[in-house]
Every structure is written in structure tokens, then in C-alpha cells.
Amino acid sequence: MIPIKVQCGCGQRYSFDVEPVGGRMPSPVACPVCGADGTAAANEIIARNMPPPAAAPVSAAGLIAQPRSPAPDSARQTVASALASVKKNKSETEDEKWKWWYFISAGICIGGYSIYQAYDEHSIKPLGSLFLAVFCIAIGIWDFQRKRMRVGGGGDAA
């Protein structure tokens, strides 16, 4: 697996790991923000990170031995596993992309409901759940910052 870090023309940085097929991306790549194609940039990064090809072995007669191509089934399996890996990584990021927002909205809802109960009951007892609301909002902010630093690379050059 080769780690790929791409910076889009819109300024968004994104990264992923990929197993190249034939020294290139096994499938197209797009910016998660603007949708611009990043396949060419990823292929360029793969080309820079790939080891140089080994010299072809020379036989005793002085002829260059031709490397055998992999069996079609193994090549298909390699491509299929690479595509599955890319799709799995993308689905994990899509599933967790907005998780921070759920914590913040839950904190706001809990806080609003506890304030409503305190007002309705003319008691400060329901305000104890405000601690839970603040805790949920803090988790959401922390998760947002963590994901922003991971996607943005924390100031690294792509």
C-alpha cells in the first residue's frame, strides 16, 4: 500500500492508501469537496514513490528473458481487492464524516430541553442535564478538530 496525499485546486487536502495496479490508480479519484478529478495527481505521486523497475535477467546465451505476465485470474483478484480497499476506505470516511455534528446537535437539543423543563417546572433541578449537553458539544468540537487536522494534514505539504 502506498499513502497518497493530494491537494486539490480548490485548496482541499485529502489522503488515502492505495495498492497501485500497473503503477497507476486502480480507479478514478475525486476531491471530496468540489468533486474535481485527482487521478492524474495521484498517478504522479504513485510514479514518484514506486521503486525503479528491476533489470531484466539475461540468459546464458545473452538473450533477455521475458518476464511472465500474471495469470488473468490473479490480476482480476488484485484489481478487485484494490477497488474493494478504496471503496472501504471511502465508505468509512463517508460514514464518519458528519459524526461530530450529531454530538453537537444532541448537545443543543439536550440543553434546550433541560432549559424548557426548568422554566416549565419553575425549578433548577432539570438544569443538571446541561452538563451532559456541554459534554456532548465538547465531544463534537473535539471530533471536528481531529478530523480537520487529519484531512488537512496538520500543515504538512501534500
Side-chain angles (χ1 to χ4, degrees):
M1 294 292 251
I2 295 177
I4 306 292
K5 292 182 180 179
V6 179
Q7 181 166 2
C8 182
C10 71
Q12 177 66 34
R13 294 179 182 174
Y14 56 99
S15 63
F16 54 91
D17 292 335
V18 68
E19 186 67 39
V21 176
R24 301 183 61 79
M25 285 293 300
S27 63
V29 178
C31 174
V33 174
C34 69
D37 185 35
T39 309
N43 283 334
E44 185 179 314
I45 293 168
I46 290 172
R48 279 188 272 153
N49 292 327
M50 291 290 287
V58 178
S59 67
L63 300 174
I64 296 176
Q66 294 295 325
R68 292 185 1 195
S69 62
D73 289 336
S74 65
R76 276 192 213 111
Q77 289 172 350
T78 304
V79 171
S81 67
L83 287 174
S85 172
V86 170
K87 287 180 182 177
K88 179 183 174 195
N89 289 342
K90 185 176 180 182
S91 68
E92 287 173 0
T93 58
E94 290 296 322
D95 291 344
E96 295 197 7
K97 189 175 185 179
W98 292 98
K99 194 176 196 179
W100 63 271
W101 183 245
Y102 301 148
F103 281 105
I104 291 177
S105 59
I108 291 170
C109 291
I110 291 169
Y113 185 69
S114 66
I115 291 171
Y116 166 75
Q117 278 185 321
Y119 177 78
D120 192 43
E121 296 174 7
H122 301 292
S123 169
I124 62 168
K125 188 175 182 181
L127 294 179
S129 60
L130 283 178
F131 290 110
L132 176 63
V134 170
F135 186 68
C136 285
I137 292 171
I139 289 174
I141 292 171
W142 171 78
D143 195 40
F144 173 74
Q145 292 292 336
R146 182 177 60 93
K147 286 184 173 109
R148 188 175 76 166
M149 295 303 287
R150 184 175 56 204
V151 169
D156 294 352

